[in-house]
Amino acid sequence: MAPRRTSITTALVGVEDDLAEQLAEEAYQDLVSRLKAAGFDVVGPEEIAASPEIARLQPVGRRAKGLGGMSVYGPRSAPLLTGHPYTAAPLSSSKSAMVFSDISAELDALVLTPQMALDYQWLESTGRRTYVGSAQVEAKVWFNVMSGSGAHFVYGQRKGLGSGPYGGFLMEGHHGSAEPFGIMYEVDDRSDSVALSNALANAGLGSLYRQSQVYAIEVAPERYAALVRAAFQGLNMSIVAELKKARGL
């Protein structure tokens, strides 16, 4: 038996924290502007921060490490709080929903938690197969807005009643763009020795050959930022459209 295992590890290069935070702020302000233009009264971050209920949620800041190693960024004017779906913060989503429900009842406002997850690559593989001495995985540069992006909402009718009506306007499936924004190049090869693996297999000893390569995907920041702006503008437009539909506009 001579099984094969192939893996590719990638890292995004060229998107600094300052740029990511700036784009998060722009996305937030774009959503606020669209809501106001559609005739919605928007509660500002200052009013939310003044609520005594907000103390039940711990501030995370403008950036955090999320689930699966995801880098998460929040707007400067409305920093991340524990319970955001993308953060690995120690607070269940149900508990955070109850807190936001109480804040909603206090302010008589629908609470939205917008979110957008981006990927920079497209991976394909042969998957896990038995009795086959080959394995293949491919990666290409691909800007991708991931499934589940959109906004969660909660509306509390009275404080202390637990979570009020809640739900989400969430995107189904991944949506990508072939617009070029970066290049991929190999930075390391951690594969086993082919000669040693073949020698062990020919000797009848069996050999697991592991191929492991590391690639960097280096972006042109201005092109990447342009794609991010187009993505959050389209997503925000969809969120506002759903709210208008719910209001009967």
Side-chain angles (χ1 to χ4, degrees), residues 91-155:
L91 182 65
S92 68
S93 58
S94 58
K95 182 176 179 181
S96 62
M98 288 189 284
V99 174
F100 282 126
S101 180
D102 286 345
I103 294 174
S104 170
E106 180 185 348
L107 299 176
D108 189 25
L110 180 77
V111 175
L112 285 175
T113 54
Q115 59 194 52
M116 183 174 70
L118 300 175
D119 200 359
Y120 55 86
Q121 64 188 354
W122 188 267
L123 296 174
E124 294 181 347
S125 75
T126 52
R128 190 182 185 95
R129 297 188 296 175
T130 307
Y131 305 122
V132 176
S134 65
Q136 182 177 343
V137 60
E138 295 181 355
K140 65 179 179 179
V141 180
W142 183 262
F143 183 85
N144 185 24
V145 183
M146 299 182 72
S147 178
S149 297
H152 291 276
F153 68 85
V154 62
Y155 182 70

Side-chain angles (χ1 to χ4, degrees), residues 158-241:
R158 200 170 71 195
K159 291 176 66 173
L161 293 181
S163 176
Y166 65 91
F169 312 118
L170 304 177
M171 192 176 73
E172 294 184 6
H174 304 328
H175 295 268
S177 169
E179 182 73 21
F181 65 92
I183 58 172
M184 178 187 290
Y185 54 90
E186 185 177 331
V187 294
D188 195 10
D189 189 338
R190 302 172 182 172
S191 304
D192 294 340
S193 166
V194 175
L196 177 59
S197 175
N198 288 340
L200 291 172
N202 290 331
L205 300 176
S207 175
L208 168 61
Y209 174 66
R210 293 163 296 193
Q211 182 183 27
S212 177
Q213 294 172 302
V214 181
Y215 288 85
I217 296 181
E218 186 169 356
V219 307
E222 63 280 359
R223 295 179 70 86
Y224 181 80
L227 286 170
V228 174
R229 291 186 178 104
F232 71 61
Q233 288 168 7
L235 193 65
N236 287 344
M237 190 184 304
S238 299
I239 293 170
V240 174

